[in-house]
């Protein structure tokens, strides 16, 4: 009975919160601001290409998940309490991984733009390709760090990242080496 009450209450609360968040975000023109701030990719991921609907949906499901966890903890079974405690102890790791990916995204955009501007100023013909490579390398590093922080994969993620990053560096060294032999001739 306690589980059912907690679940029904969380569904009602989630429904109300989704409506309030959606109307608030539409009121401050959140969709337009997201595109204005340069996050047009977020609109592509979201339902109906609306970041405000995405945020409202995330809040909705988060409240329902918390309601289910509270309902499970009300069952007073030792196994469910251990499960709930482990899930609540894992939440800071998930938040830190989200922060790592977010900072990695911003740094990737910053470094890609910096490399693009520098390469264009140095009149490098493949400046856009070089910028794209830097962007994806930083995103790859951020993704590997987030997975490592979440404890997913353990040594496999670290080893895969090292092999991939080392392969890219080796390929770049081989590509630049023969291509720049005229520049290093005495």
């Amino acid at each position: 009975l306690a589980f059912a009450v907690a679940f029904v209450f969380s569904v009602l609360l989630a429904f109300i919160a989704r409506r309030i968040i959606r109307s608030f975000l539409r009121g401050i023109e959140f969709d337009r601001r997201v595109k204005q701030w340069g996050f047009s990719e977020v609109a592509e991921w979201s339902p109906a290409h609306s970041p405000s609907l995405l945020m409202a949906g995330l809040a909705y499901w988060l409240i329902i998940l918390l309601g289910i966890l509270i309902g499970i903890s009300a069952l007073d079974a030792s196994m469910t309490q251990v499960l709930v405690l482990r899930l609540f102890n894992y939440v800071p790791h998930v938040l830190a991984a989200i922060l790592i990916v977010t900072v990695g995204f911003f740094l990737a955009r910053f470094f890609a733009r910096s490399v693009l501007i520098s390469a264009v100023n140095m009149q490098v013909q493949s400046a856009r390709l070089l910028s794209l490579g830097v962007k994806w390398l930083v995103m790859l590093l951020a993704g590997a760090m987030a997975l490592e922080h979440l404890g997913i994969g353990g040594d496999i993620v670290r080893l895969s990242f090292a092999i991939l990053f080392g392969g890219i560096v080796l390929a770049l060294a081989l590509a630049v080496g023969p291509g720049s032999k005229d520049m290093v001739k005495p």
Side-chain angles (χ1 to χ4, degrees), residues 45-126:
W45 299 341
S46 58
H49 299 292
S50 174
S52 60
L53 287 177
L54 177 67
M55 298 302 288
L58 287 174
Y60 176 81
W61 287 108
L62 181 67
I63 292 171
I64 287 181
L65 179 66
L66 288 175
I68 289 172
L69 291 176
I70 290 170
I72 288 174
S73 69
L75 293 176
D76 200 33
S78 63
M79 195 62 121
T80 57
Q81 287 180 349
V82 169
L83 174 69
V84 170
L85 285 175
R86 284 190 181 180
L87 284 175
F88 277 121
N89 286 336
Y90 197 66
V91 168
H93 295 288
V94 171
L95 294 176
I98 290 171
L99 180 67
I100 289 170
V101 169
T102 303
V103 169
F105 177 76
F106 286 121
L107 286 176
R109 288 180 59 115
F110 173 74
F111 288 140
R113 193 168 304 253
S114 298
V115 167
L116 179 66
I117 291 170
S118 298
V120 166
N121 288 340
M122 293 188 319
Q123 298 175 350
V124 175
Q125 289 188 357
S126 58

Side-chain angles (χ1 to χ4, degrees), residues 131-150:
S131 171
L132 185 66
V134 167
K135 178 181 178 181
W136 282 106
L137 283 176
V138 173
M139 287 297 291
L140 182 68
L141 176 64
M145 288 171 62
L147 287 175
E148 180 73 25
H149 193 74
L150 287 172

